Amino acid sequence: AQSVTQLGSHVSVSEGALVLLRCNYSSSVPPYLFWYVQYPNQGLQLLLKYTTGATLVKGINGFEAEFKKSETSFHLTKPSAHMSDAAEYFCAVGLSGNEKLTFGTGTRLTIIP
Amino acid sequence: EAEVAQSPRYKITEKSQAVAFWCDPISGHATLYWYRQILGQGPELLVQFQDESVVDDSQLPKDRFSAERLKGVDSTLKIQPAELGDSAMYLCASSSQTGVHHEQYFGPGTRLTVT
């Protein structure tokens, strides 16, 4: 079975500051890891994913995440926050051979002008 | 850019009534998912289709929920009778291939309020 924990249901950062959203996973086998973004009253959009290979993954809108097996983490970062980054962010985990994605409870990111 | 279409966007219904949601996936996408997202939580998979066949419906409350994808294209999710606890966002997603590592494209969702 797999699970994912997002630390911090709400995160606020100033415009131009570093964004760090935390995600830890639990999996008995090597996982596939994803970050999705959801704007108000919209569906989810894939930011980035880790399947195999390079552990530092770059995504859209300047976001990146690093898969750290030893820490079972897949934290999402962006060097400089923009007002348009305000949204809800979901970390998700999936396993090869199991078609099901398991999502975390989400982190609401607020950008302070 | 192709998108997943869902309708209606918003639905208010009284408990014990029937309600249905429709999803049209991106053309050519064989895999279709229905998720339920309760306020403050992440999406939870209800049912997954590969073409017209159900691959996983283990989390679908089958006493009141049903889903179909008769021609392997668009899909309908039905609730009968609706209960207060069914109030949530219902999201449809599609993927070009089966396999969890393939990107799922989400529609805008249907927000259901049961009164």
Side-chain angles (χ1 to χ4, degrees):
Chain A
Q2 71 261 30
S3 66
V4 63
T5 301
Q6 292 185 242
L7 299 176
S9 58
H10 292 85
V11 170
S12 296
V13 302
S14 297
E15 189 175 14
L18 171 71
V19 175
L20 171 60
L21 304 183
R22 300 178 187 273
C23 173
N24 287 89
Y25 69 90
S26 173
S27 171
S28 56
V29 297
Y32 298 132
L33 295 162
F34 307 80
W35 276 100
Y36 282 86
V37 61
Q38 186 177 34
Y39 298 100
N41 295 315
Q42 295 187 28
L44 281 70
Q45 179 184 12
L46 181 67
L47 277 177
L48 49 80
K49 65 178 180 181
Y50 168 79
T51 53
T52 59
T55 56
L56 181 62
V57 181
K58 295 186 183 299
I60 62 171
N61 302 338
F63 285 93
E64 63 182 36
E66 187 170 10
F67 170 58
K68 292 187 176 181
K69 184 179 178 180
S70 61
E71 299 178 8
T72 62
S73 69
F74 191 57
H75 302 330
L76 181 70
T77 61
K78 181 174 181 177
S80 176
H82 191 273
M83 294 301 294
S84 61
D85 295 327
E88 185 117 23
Y89 292 80
F90 292 93
C91 182
V93 62
L95 304 179
S96 177
N98 180 342
E99 304 304 319
K100 185 176 177 179
L101 270 183
T102 299
F103 287 85
T105 54
T107 297
R108 183 171 299 278
L109 177 65
T110 300
I111 309 299
I112 303 167
Chain B
E1 182 176 313
E3 296 180 342
V4 176
Q6 289 188 249
S7 66
R9 291 293 309 277
Y10 304 91
K11 179 71 176 178
I12 300 174
T13 191
E14 295 182 347
K15 63 180 181 180
S16 79
Q17 296 298 304
V19 64
F21 315 129
W22 177 78
C23 171
D24 191 14
I26 293 173
S27 178
H29 280 196
T31 309
L32 184 147
Y33 308 83
W34 281 103
Y35 289 89
R36 177 172 59 186
Q37 185 180 17
I38 296 171
L39 190 63
Q41 298 184 21
E44 175 192 27
L45 181 68
L46 291 174
V47 61
Q48 177 187 345
F49 289 92
Q50 180 65 27
D51 299 311
E52 67 275 11
S53 300
V54 172
V55 173
D56 182 353
D57 63 356
S58 58
Q59 300 302 309
L60 188 72
K62 298 181 187 64
D63 57 335
R64 298 185 300 108
F65 285 65
S66 65
E68 61 182 14
R69 193 184 185 199
L70 292 177
K71 296 183 179 180
V73 181
D74 58 337
S75 176
T76 302
L77 178 70
K78 297 179 181 177
I79 308 175
Q80 182 173 16
E83 297 180 352
L84 294 177
D86 295 332
S87 294
M89 175 80 89
Y90 290 83
L91 294 165
C92 179
S94 70
S95 179
S96 60
Q97 300 180 50
T98 190
V100 72
H101 55 290
H102 293 289
E103 181 173 355
Q104 295 183 24
Y105 295 83
F106 283 80
T110 296
R111 183 169 296 282
L112 173 67
T113 302
V114 182
T115 63

